[in-house]
Amino acid sequence: MKDFLFFIVLLCSINFALAQEIVPIIPKPQKATKSEGYFSFDSNTRIVSDPSNSSLANYLQTELLKHNNLSLALSNKEAANTIVFQLLNKSKLAAEAYVLQISDNKIVVKAASTQGLFAGTVSLLQLIRHEKNSKYKIKLPCWTIEDQPRFAWRGMMLDESRHFFGKEKVKHLLDWMSFYKLNTFHWHLTDQPAWRIEIKAYPKLTAVGGVGNFSDSLAAPQYYTQADIKEIVAYARDRFITVVPEIDMPGHATAANRAYPQFSGGGSEKHPEFTFNPGKEETYQYLTNILKEIDVLFPSQAIHIGADEVQYGNEKWKTDPAVQALMQKANLKNLSEVEAYFVKRMADSIKKLNNEVMAWDEVVKGEISPEKTTVFWWRHDKPEVLKEALQKAYQVVLCPRLPLYFDFVQDVAHQIGRKWVGKYVPLQDVYQFPGSTITNLPNANKLIRGIQANLWTEVITDNQQLDFKVFPRIAALAEAAWTQDENKNYDDFSERLKKHLVYYNAEGINFYNPFSPKSSPEWLSPIQRKGKRINTESLTQQETKNK
């Protein structure tokens, strides 16, 4: 009898331990329970496919072949050793929620939407990748996972005006975004150094405005054709990532003004030809024509207009005849009101295109209606602006410099990158965000759409430097955006992350290793290796685009 009782206690302990085992997925799922048994992947495994999930099935096939050397065929009926997608039409599951059930003879991914099915597929792929291949066979432990994201907006922003990286690098970033269930790619395509997107109505924007970068003002023009844009948007769509373009205005317009100086509003000594001219009617038609082409190229139905830091380069507005005439006609008392007038007119144009307006947090002081408007809070040192945005009922994406600017260094010893009064952006700070930042803020649960990391590229000159800034912080970002606070644990995350560093190494990614900092020195570009390192400590706030 004693032996029998001991056996029962032992069995219960084993089952409890199995149930409590941490699932090797980033971001950590809401609920995961491990049970006994294994599903065996081999050449006989089939993916059940029908027209409603054919793209998902193909994505799963492609990823398994790429990373696991497994070639799985499709089937039109369920049987033993199959992977099944179930779209639940009358389910109460949230939009991106999913259930993943792995038993010894079948894997089922359930969701109420294709976005949810994709999220479940990504979790399955991570579980598979975690296991070792053995002669083209994989034994996958049985898990039941019930999961959904904390935030709807889980984003990454890439600045390609300052340095251009090209289609393949953008696709590489999109691949890793999808691997971590990040779903929004904010693409900063225009700014002071260069204009990076083809506009058919104004070819000089790329022919002239596309010349140069932050390091070399005479570099040959680099930009994306409209065919390139369509290709990347489609690539992102296949990974359930929305691409939101940013066309900066009324400031940060230097590259555009090189191409079409008739629309320039001038600048300042440090920022010449920095603004579009808000006093000329032609300016509004010119920019609206540009935005009409942007609307066609990006099906996101959202356009980011920047609308930040205008005060750094609007000095000429004080004497420009057209601006002064506008001020008198519209009874505008100062340049801040001129800026607000411009932003409101362009926002109205965007809304007439049936697009949502997106802008940096300076617009909170302006006159844009909160309807169909999202504010990006970037100034970590101005929490009052975040509070005001929420009080005025703007939707908000959180992307403060600290801790979500990935051009900041991630280790105190690093030299290439930025700091803010000695502070930088280590992995743990990214992971713990937003923490208390949004505690007790008005309407926070209702109006905060999510979070994103911003990667400005003054100091990032090549792919290796880009990777060093992104990895592994992208994994911490993903868990910060997806996982509820009560389920987060940095020590547990760190253990799961160690296997992901193996993935980075296998793909030749130049990543920072937080567990062995001295083994991952900063990558220096050829220019920097010749002793021409960019001294970011000496750059002014404006010159480093302090967004």
Side-chain angles (χ1 to χ4, degrees):
M1 185 66 178
K2 288 182 180 179
D3 290 342
F4 177 73
L5 289 174
F6 175 78
F7 173 76
I8 294 298
V9 171
L10 179 63
L11 184 62
C12 291
S13 299
I14 292 172
N15 286 335
F16 179 79
L18 286 170
Q20 296 300 308
E21 187 171 336
I22 299 299
V23 64
I25 293 175
I26 296 176
K28 184 180 178 181
Q30 189 175 69
K31 182 179 178 182
T33 304
K34 190 176 183 181
S35 55
E36 293 183 335
Y38 294 87
F39 179 93
S40 295
F41 278 93
D42 56 34
S43 58
N44 295 317
T45 303
R46 295 289 182 267
I47 302 171
V48 177
S49 176
D50 61 46
S52 68
N53 60 45
S54 59
S55 61
L56 278 171
N58 182 249
Y59 179 80
L60 179 59
Q61 282 181 302
T62 302
E63 291 298 299
L64 288 173
L65 180 59
K66 178 180 177 181
H67 296 292
N68 303 93
N69 292 322
L70 283 173
S71 301
L72 301 192
L74 301 181
S75 174
N76 57 9
K77 62 180 181 178
E78 295 186 27
N81 202 15
T82 57
I83 303 170
V84 180
F85 297 107
Q86 290 185 3
L87 194 59
L88 309 175
N89 295 323
K90 295 183 179 181
S91 171
K92 294 181 180 180
L93 290 174
E96 292 182 270
Y98 68 91
V99 176
L100 173 61
Q101 296 173 318
I102 303 173
S103 63
D104 56 6
N105 67 348
K106 185 186 294 185
I107 294 175
V108 180
V109 184
K110 303 177 184 179
S113 68
T114 52
Q115 295 98 316
L117 289 178
F118 183 79
T121 300
V122 170
S123 289
L124 174 60
L125 285 166
Q126 283 203 25
L127 289 172
I128 295 169
R129 199 163 175 184
H130 182 77
E131 304 302 322
K132 292 182 179 180
N133 285 32
S134 178
K135 295 182 179 179
Y136 304 104
K137 292 184 179 181
I138 298 176
K139 291 181 66 178
L140 187 64
C142 294
W143 286 95
T144 298
I145 297 173
E146 300 174 25
D147 197 13
Q148 68 181 61
R150 176 182 184 181
F151 291 118
W153 185 292
R154 305 180 304 279
M156 273 287 301
M157 188 223 75
L158 176 64
D159 162 29
E160 286 205 82
S161 174
R162 287 165 180 78
H163 287 103
F164 184 85
F165 300 94
K167 280 194 302 184
E168 294 311 309
K169 192 57 189 175
V170 169
K171 288 179 179 180
H172 179 256
L173 182 59
L174 292 170
D175 284 340
W176 282 100
M177 286 179 63
S178 67
F179 187 73
Y180 289 125
K181 302 187 181 80
L182 298 172
N183 64 357
T184 309
F185 179 53
H186 175 175
W187 207 358
H188 189 82
L189 291 164
T190 74
D191 211 303
Q192 292 169 263
W195 183 283
R196 302 298 190 190
I197 179 169
E198 177 189 22
I199 301 297
K200 299 286 189 182
Y202 302 101
K204 289 183 182 179
L205 285 172
T206 47
V208 177
V211 173
N213 57 47
F214 188 83
S215 303
D216 180 3
S217 62
L218 300 178
Q222 290 181 296
Y223 58 90
Y224 293 99
T225 66
Q226 294 197 357
D228 293 333
I229 295 292
K230 291 176 182 177
E231 180 182 337
I232 291 172
V233 167
Y235 192 87
R237 183 174 58 244
D238 288 345
R239 288 150 182 78
F240 289 84
I241 296 172
T242 300
V243 183
V244 174
E246 182 179 351
I247 308 298
D248 241 331
M249 59 181 76
H252 293 282
T254 311
N257 288 337
R258 287 201 307 268
Y260 294 94
Q262 63 268 40
F263 304 113
S264 175
S268 62
E269 183 180 352
K270 287 188 175 181
H271 301 278
E273 307 305 326
F274 186 74
T275 64
F276 292 116
N277 194 316
K280 293 181 177 180
E281 273 306 306
E282 313 91 271
T283 303
Y284 298 98
Q285 188 59 59
Y286 164 64
L287 293 174
T288 299
N289 291 342
I290 291 171
L291 294 177
K292 285 180 178 178
E293 291 196 29
I294 295 296
D295 172 51
V296 173
L297 293 170
F298 295 92
S300 58
Q301 294 302 108
I303 298 175
H304 200 299
I305 59 170
D308 66 301
E309 299 183 329
V310 180
Q311 72 276 13
Y312 294 143
N314 64 356
E315 187 177 322
K316 291 292 179 66
W317 288 6
K318 297 175 183 177
T319 56
D320 183 89
V323 175
Q324 292 303 305
L326 170 66
M327 292 180 71
Q328 185 173 3
K329 178 182 177 182
N331 193 28
L332 305 175
K333 299 180 182 63
N334 52 51
L335 298 189
S336 293
E337 291 190 6
V338 173
E339 178 185 337
Y341 173 90
F342 173 95
V343 172
K344 184 178 185 303
R345 283 196 59 174
M346 293 313 304
D348 288 344
S349 294
I350 290 172
K351 290 178 181 180
K352 287 179 182 177
L353 292 171
N354 196 32
N355 274 247
E356 182 180 356
V357 178
M358 299 188 166
W360 301 109
D361 64 37
E362 283 90 337
V363 300
V364 172
K365 298 292 185 183
E367 300 177 1
I368 304 180
S369 164
E371 182 185 3
K372 291 187 70 175
T373 302
T374 294
V375 168
F376 288 65
W377 179 63
W378 64 275
R379 292 180 289 179
H380 74 280
D381 55 330
K382 294 186 180 295
E384 69 277 8
V385 175
L386 171 59
K387 185 176 181 179
E388 184 179 358
L390 295 171
Q391 286 174 332
K392 290 184 174 180
Y394 287 105
Q395 293 193 81
V396 175
V397 171
L398 305 172
C399 53
R401 301 184 197 90
L402 298 178
L404 295 182
Y405 271 29
F406 282 8
D407 52 314
F408 276 61
V409 298
Q410 54 186 320
D411 187 284
V412 68
H414 292 169
Q415 311 253 340
I416 302 170
R418 295 169 53 199
K419 295 178 182 177
W420 181 272
V421 195
K423 295 181 180 179
Y424 54 101
V425 177
L427 183 73
Q428 187 168 359
D429 286 5
V430 178
Y431 182 82
Q432 292 174 338
F433 188 78
S436 62
T437 303
I438 58 176
T439 303
N440 299 323
L441 286 177
N443 303 314
N445 291 335
K446 178 182 177 182
L447 295 175
I448 292 177
R449 299 180 66 174
I451 68 176
Q452 80 174 26
N454 295 337
L455 187 61
W456 304 104
T457 59
E458 289 91 345
V459 300
I460 301 171
T461 59
D462 56 31
N463 291 345
Q464 289 80 4
Q465 287 180 341
L466 189 152
D467 287 346
F468 194 79
K469 291 292 188 290
V470 170
F471 297 91
R473 289 188 291 196
I474 188 174
L477 171 72
E479 194 144 317
W482 182 280
T483 306
Q484 296 288 345
D485 284 340
E486 58 268 26
N487 284 339
K488 289 167 63 176
N489 180 291
Y490 184 71
D491 291 337
D492 162 53
F493 167 76
S494 298
E495 285 303 309
R496 284 176 286 127
L497 180 64
K498 290 176 181 177
K499 188 62 177 285
H500 287 240
L501 301 188
V502 176
Y503 305 156
Y504 304 158
N505 193 59
E507 291 202 11
I509 291 173
N510 180 56
F511 64 93
Y512 169 64
N513 186 345
F515 309 108
S516 180
K518 292 183 180 180
S519 70
S520 51
E522 289 181 281
W523 175 269
L524 300 182
S525 71
I527 291 176
Q528 290 163 337
R529 285 199 296 272
K530 291 178 182 178
K532 298 180 180 179
R533 177 178 298 187
I534 297 171
N535 182 3
T536 58
E537 294 293 334
S538 68
L539 294 177
T540 66
Q541 291 184 9
Q542 301 95 298
E543 287 168 333
T544 54
K545 179 99 174 173
N546 238 346
K547 279 200 294 294

